[in-house]
Amino acid sequence: MPKKKDLIEKLFRKPYPRNFTVRELDMLMSKCNCSKSQGGRGSGIGYYHEKTGRMLQFDGPHPGKELYKYQIDMIKRYIEEIGEKEV
């Protein structure tokens, strides 16, 4: 299982990673103390950071499992906003 530091380095790599998966995102978010919620509008995915009360929501990628560039950008902003970028 990858460490939080490794997942953050991959997420913030330039050029952006084309193979960051939902599974890796789930691991990273759990290491950032976020709880996951699914549902709502079909393939919707959400993460809630209890300490800050901030929520991240987007439609999951389909048919594949690799996240799109706009989703990676959203996730990077969210990680910075909740203060979890520093390892």
Side-chain angles (χ1 to χ4, degrees):
M1 179 176 291
K3 296 179 181 176
K4 178 181 175 182
K5 178 184 176 206
D6 298 333
L7 292 168
I8 287 186
E9 284 175 1
K10 181 176 180 179
L11 182 68
F12 282 85
R13 180 173 56 204
K14 291 185 181 181
Y16 77 95
R18 297 184 185 272
N19 61 347
F20 203 86
T21 64
V22 173
R23 181 180 167 153
E24 289 173 308
L25 178 61
D26 289 344
M27 284 188 276
L28 175 58
M29 288 297 162
S30 71
K31 293 173 189 286
C32 290
N33 302 309
C34 293
S35 56
K36 182 178 181 179
S37 61
Q38 285 186 286
R41 300 178 304 141
S43 63
I45 299 172
Y47 298 95
Y48 177 72
H49 189 250
E50 192 167 324
K51 185 176 177 183
T52 61
R54 299 197 57 97
M55 184 84 176
L56 171 69
Q57 292 181 307
F58 57 88
D59 287 335
H62 47 79
K65 297 291 183 191
E66 290 82 20
L67 297 166
Y68 301 119
K69 184 181 184 314
Y70 82 92
Q71 294 168 325
I72 290 173
D73 290 339
M74 288 173 58
I75 295 161
K76 287 162 66 170
R77 275 194 306 275
Y78 181 73
I79 294 285
E80 291 172 334
E81 288 170 0
I82 63 173
E84 293 286 346
K85 184 176 177 187
E86 305 303 319
V87 183

